[in-house]
Each structure stands twice: as structure tokens, then as C-alpha cells.
Amino acid sequence: MKFKRMWIAVPTALALALTACSGGTSSNTAASGETAGDPTRLIKAWSGEPQNPLIPANTNEVNGAKIINQVMAGLVYYDLTGKTKMDVAESITSDDDTLWTVKLQKDRKFSDGTPVKAHNFVDAWKMGAKEAMLSASFYADIEGADDEGNGDLTGLNVVDDYTFTIKLKQPVSDWPDRMGYAAYFPLADSTLTDPEAGGEKPVGNGPYMLESWTHQVGAKLLPNPHYVGDNKPKNNGIDLVFYTSLDAAYQDLSANNLDILDAIPDSAFTSYMQDLQNRGLNQPSAVFQAFTIGGLDHFTGEEGKLRRQAISMAINREEITEAIFAGTRTPAKDFTSPVVDGFNDKIPGNEVLKYNPEKAKELWAKADAISPWSGSFKIAYNSDGGHQAWVDAVANQLKNTLGIDAGGNPYADFKSFRSDVTKRLITTAFRAGWQADYPGQYNFLAPLYGTGGSANDGDYSNPEVDSLLKQVFAGSHEDSIKTLEKIQQILFTELPSIPLWYANTTSGWSANVENVKFKWDGVPDYVNITVK
């Protein structure tokens, strides 16, 4: 096992590093000229300031993704249940799972009226790889890319205006199912020419277009008049309000001054359904939460392996999920999610996730025999995302079980937190989360634990894991599941991150809107929400 320090050319880190719950500034006022009962008004939804300019391949956090996934459309999209449906692509075919041919719909346009052509996909992907953007690892299977997805994607070739081919290094049977992720979105000609301008105001081909983005305040999305796909908006647009406090957002929701809140604060877990008169939801989603320990002092080699396992066994996940989250979280049994195919809660090695204080003390003592513990153990987190309570609870359990000084390391907001994570400036453990980019176990493992993965913020590197990741799609579906389980067995031993729990979609909506549903990944189905 090795933890290496990586510096990536500017950009962001989405892997859709869910990495994040969000934050921003509270605003109780409706858009100018709008009233709560006005059916022409925009849907007011909770969000936070994106980390970086809005270039899809360089956005791997949820605040930026909330905008990008509405103003952009990919080759495919995922319906409410996570099923893959054709979007801009008319077909994605292959005879050998290695050479894929993509034929595009010929009626798709960007919001500036220009047509969506094959080169808009090819050139966007090539730019992401050439510039080593944060989601570049999603290109790693394409010929020409290195193992981290960087380089010249020689495997991409434009056949004609509406056809291109993708040559992979090896067979990948689920390749079409990946194509709905932001790293595979197209870029308009104007953005390819001037990425800086395109990042500030994207020219997209999705259901909405970005009308305005007032930094640290909010963003307004209006229906894209050129969009003709399956997800045509049934409302007049989305007013994303950036909050600095989740509690403030909940107060606005309770007063019907905010329409959509897709993260209930822990202070309201036991009361939100009653407070909102059952206008709320608590359902499983493809969200995994953990905290990452990089190559810190005392956490490398055999000593580090022992300490990671001790910390994991010192955490009473059942107690925290019940006391703090009131059943809106489920203790983790693996590194993926119960809602994706192949989930197994009995993978050998996962006993390290069970609360076992005596074993934790024993392992910690063995680590001390190698090198005595010194200092304190801190977990960094963003204060605007509702994380303080569980971080404090975990820290107290570590104090009580291991007899060490432990606590939180709060950041004021998500943007500053993610910036330090991306720049490798955090010198403590830090909270982590993953909201799946597409429905599959591979997506929970490759970006986070493959060497150079787009969301591998702890810089974990294990040649055996990398080798197994390349073998995942070499055989049958059953073989793939077995290979993914082998990878997890290694992760249970080395614990590059400490799995905590799976997050349910806990959300609420105002009395002013209806037809509110949430997708397989916990994201609101914005296009179908309507104003009463």
C-alpha cells in the first residue's frame, strides 16, 4: 500500500467527489416580481457555491453538479430508478465491447442554437484528458490515456458530423451505462474556444440554461428553448439559493420561502415529517459516507494499518445513526451502496466495520509498540453541511475507547473545504462522501481507490487494486461481482477511508410545489416539479 502526493493541474474534484453536502447564503425573498402562489415563478431550491468554474470534466462536487447536470445532456441519462436511457445518442454499439460506435440524434442543439455534433463530445473529452482535469480518470480506459486518464485520447475518432468511435484498451461491457456522467458531456464550440468564459456561463444542451450565477448568492436556471429531449421542464426554471447554514435553509422551507431542500439538518430529523405536514421523504439512495485518512504520520505501513482498523472498530455506527440521524442513515457494511446491483453485506473482512472496543484497544496497543502515538486525531469538515454532530460523536468515541485526543477541524463552507482537499492542504483526516455518478459498484470503487482516481483525495495506491479494477469487466457479470468483492477485501484490510454509513435521501418541499420526486441518487427530479 502506498499513499502518494498528487498535484493536479488546476480544476475541481467531482467525481462527483460527492464529496459533499453544501452551503451558501440564506435568502427569504422570491425572485423579483414573483409571489409564492404565482404559477409563473421559479422553483426555489437549496444549493451552495460551486467549487470551480462549470466545466463538466473539471467538476466533481455536488454544488457544481447541480447546475451542470441541468444545463448539460450526455449520450445517455438515468431515469428515476437508475435505468439507462438514450439521450443525445441515437445508439451506442459494439461487437467486442472494445470498439464502440456512437451515432447522435441530429436534432439536438446547444442553448446558443448551434448543433450538437460528434466533435463536441470528442474535443470535450480530449480537453479533459489533456488538461488533467479532476474527472480525467474516467477516460483511463480509452486508448491514448495513461492510467490516470491523462494524455492524448487517440482512441477517439470523428467519423462524420453525427458519428464517432471510441477505442478502449480492453473490453468494457458496461461502457454505455457510464456515458451519463458529466465527464462525458459535450462542450459547445464557444466553450472549446474560450473555456474560461464557458466555465463562468456554460452554453449547454440540457433541459435548462444558466441565466445567471451570482457568486456566493445563487444561480438561476431557465428552460432551454432548444432542448427537445425526454426531460423537458414542466416549470419556468430553478432558482438555486446558496445557503451558509442548513438550519437556515430548513427554516425557510418551513416558512414556505424555499421550495426544495434535499438535505434535512440533523436538528430536524425527528420532527421534519410532522413540521412539513408529510411533505418530506426518507428513502435509500446511492450515497456512501466516510472519512479519509491519507498518508499522515502514524498512518502508513503496518502501524498505519493497525491504527486505521482500531479507529474503525472504535466507532459505534449503530449508536450514532440512531441518536444523531434518527434512522436516516444505515451503518455501512461495505464501500458501495445497498441500492446498486451486487451489494453484499457479508464480504469477508467487513467485521472491521463492527463496533468492537476491546479489539480496537488491542490493535492500537500493537501500533504503539511499533511507534508510540503522539499528537491528536482531527477530522476536517465543512460547517455548512450539517456534519458537526456526527464528527463530534465519532471524536468522543475515539477518546473514550482509545484514550487519545480527538476532535473536529471545521471549515466555514464547502468551497473552502473542498479547495484545501483538492490542493492537498489538509493535514488531518477529513470527511468524505460519494454520490454515485452512474448506478454500479465499480463507480464507488475506481474513482475513489484506483491510483489517480478522480476522487482519490487520500492518494491511495495499491497495484493489486489497480490490476483487479482492470479485470472487472473481463468476464461474466457474476465474475465482475466477484472481482469487485476481492477489491473490497483489500480495502477492508487497508482502510484508505473509514466507511461510516449509507445516507438516505432526507428531503422536504414547500406547500407551494407538487410532483416532487427524487432520483435513484438522491437528486431532485427538477424538470417535473411544478408550482401550485
Side-chain angles (χ1 to χ4, degrees):
M1 174 181 64
K2 178 179 71 171
F3 288 88
K4 67 176 184 176
R5 182 69 66 190
M6 285 173 41
W7 296 88
I8 303 179
V10 125
T12 133
L14 172 102
L16 240 164
L18 170 86
T19 40
C21 286
S22 70
T25 300
S26 173
S27 173
N28 293 337
T29 58
S32 177
E34 300 172 353
T35 61
D38 179 3
T40 66
R41 73 180 182 86
L42 307 188
I43 305 293
K44 295 178 71 68
W46 168 78
S47 191
E49 176 71 14
Q51 181 188 357
N52 294 308
L54 298 172
I55 298 295
N58 205 37
T59 301
N60 70 345
E61 43 78 27
V62 295
N63 292 338
K66 277 188 177 181
I67 298 175
I68 284 176
N69 287 335
Q70 302 308 314
V71 303
M72 304 282 188
L75 296 173
V76 304
Y77 73 92
Y78 310 114
D79 67 11
L80 287 177
T81 65
K83 184 177 181 180
T84 302
K85 300 288 187 70
M86 288 294 152
D87 200 345
V88 180
E90 180 179 287
S91 63
I92 306 174
T93 58
S94 176
D95 293 328
D96 58 4
D97 292 342
T98 301
L99 179 63
W100 293 89
T101 298
V102 179
K103 292 185 178 298
L104 304 181
Q105 309 269 4
K106 296 180 180 180
D107 59 351
R108 300 305 180 92
K109 294 181 179 181
F110 290 99
S111 58
D112 63 358
T114 58
V116 180
K117 295 186 176 182
H119 81 271
N120 295 112
F121 284 93
V122 169
D123 292 346
W125 300 7
K126 285 191 172 185
M127 185 174 78
K130 182 179 180 181
E131 299 294 328
M133 293 184 177
L134 289 179
S135 292
S137 66
F138 284 83
Y139 310 126
D141 288 318
I142 301 175
E143 280 195 352
D146 62 22
D147 288 343
E148 297 178 8
N150 304 320
D152 181 12
L153 302 184
T154 56
L156 298 179
N157 288 287
V158 174
V159 177
D160 58 43
D161 279 351
Y162 296 99
T163 308
F164 69 97
T165 58
I166 308 165
K167 181 68 177 297
L168 305 181
K169 300 174 184 175
Q170 59 190 12
V172 178
S173 59
D174 77 335
W175 186 255
D177 291 328
R178 303 184 188 186
M179 297 294 96
Y181 176 54
Y184 304 112
F185 287 171
L187 291 177
D189 291 345
S190 59
T191 300
L192 291 168
T193 301
D194 188 350
E196 184 176 351
E200 186 64 24
K201 190 168 184 179
V203 176
N205 63 318
Y208 296 96
M209 58 184 182
L210 181 63
E211 172 68 12
S212 65
W213 174 13
T214 304
H215 292 283
Q216 307 299 334
V217 176
K220 287 184 172 59
L221 313 181
L222 300 182
N224 177 3
H226 296 288
Y227 179 77
V228 295
D230 294 344
N231 298 303
K232 203 166 183 64
K234 296 179 181 177
N235 52 58
N236 293 293
I238 309 297
D239 182 4
L240 294 172
V241 184
F242 299 169
Y243 284 83
T244 55
S245 165
L246 197 55
D247 286 302
Y250 183 73
Q251 290 172 11
D252 276 0
L253 179 70
S254 300
N256 290 315
N257 291 320
L258 179 70
D259 293 319
I260 304 294
L261 178 60
D262 46 304
I264 300 296
D266 52 40
S267 59
F269 280 145
T270 59
S271 63
Y272 77 98
M273 291 298 287
Q274 181 178 352
D275 294 345
L276 301 176
Q277 299 177 350
N278 290 320
R279 296 189 309 275
L281 187 68
N282 179 16
Q283 71 179 24
S285 66
V287 177
F288 166 86
Q289 295 185 332
F291 62 85
T292 296
I293 306 173
L296 306 176
D297 290 344
H298 294 292
F299 285 99
T300 58
E302 183 62 22
E303 178 197 357
K305 186 183 297 184
L306 292 168
R307 294 202 188 280
R308 292 165 190 269
Q309 293 176 1
I311 285 174
S312 182
M313 290 185 173
I315 300 171
N316 190 333
R317 295 165 178 80
E318 287 77 10
E319 182 178 80
I320 293 176
T321 54
E322 186 57 40
I324 294 178
F325 295 113
T328 62
R329 304 290 188 273
T330 303
K333 303 295 184 182
D334 79 332
F335 287 82
T336 67
S337 166
V339 305
V340 296
D341 181 48
F343 172 76
N344 181 2
D345 63 359
K346 295 181 175 58
I347 297 177
N350 76 347
E351 60 271 10
V352 75
L353 304 183
K354 295 179 180 178
Y355 179 54
N356 190 337
E358 295 307 316
K359 184 67 174 178
K361 293 176 184 177
E362 176 188 331
L363 293 171
W364 196 260
K366 287 183 178 179
D368 279 342
I370 297 174
S371 177
W373 173 257
S374 60
S376 60
F377 185 80
K378 302 291 185 182
I379 301 174
Y381 64 94
N382 52 298
S383 298
D384 59 5
H387 301 290
Q388 181 178 350
W390 74 256
V391 170
D392 289 347
V394 167
N396 286 331
Q397 290 181 349
L398 298 182
K399 288 178 184 178
N400 295 334
T401 299
L402 303 178
I404 63 173
D405 178 44
N409 176 25
Y411 278 70
D413 55 44
F414 171 70
K415 180 180 173 68
S416 59
F417 167 71
R418 282 303 304 168
S419 178
D420 275 8
V421 169
T422 301
K423 294 176 182 178
R424 304 304 193 257
L425 297 178
I426 291 183
T427 57
T428 67
F430 53 92
R431 81 156 201 87
W434 186 253
Q435 186 175 44
D437 305 309
Y438 58 88
Q441 285 189 314
Y442 183 84
N443 183 242
F444 282 85
L445 302 178
L448 281 76
Y449 308 112
T451 299
S454 63
N456 188 347
D457 294 327
D459 295 327
Y460 173 72
S461 181
N462 183 314
E464 186 177 2
V465 169
D466 293 339
S467 177
L468 288 169
L469 285 170
K470 293 179 180 179
Q471 299 172 33
V472 168
F473 301 104
S476 66
H477 178 70
E478 291 73 19
D479 292 336
S480 296
I481 297 299
K482 291 178 181 178
T483 302
L484 291 165
E485 290 186 356
K486 289 180 182 178
I487 293 170
Q488 292 207 63
Q489 290 180 46
I490 297 172
L491 298 179
F492 283 134
T493 299
E494 301 193 331
L495 291 175
S497 67
I498 308 297
L500 294 173
W501 36 75
Y502 314 115
N504 284 8
T505 296
T506 54
S507 55
W509 54 93
S510 77
N512 300 318
V513 294
E514 53 193 354
N515 300 317
V516 180
K517 294 183 179 180
F518 290 79
K519 299 181 180 181
W520 63 278
D521 56 358
V523 175
D525 182 27
Y526 292 108
V527 296
N528 287 309
I529 300 172
T530 56
V531 176
K532 289 184 179 179

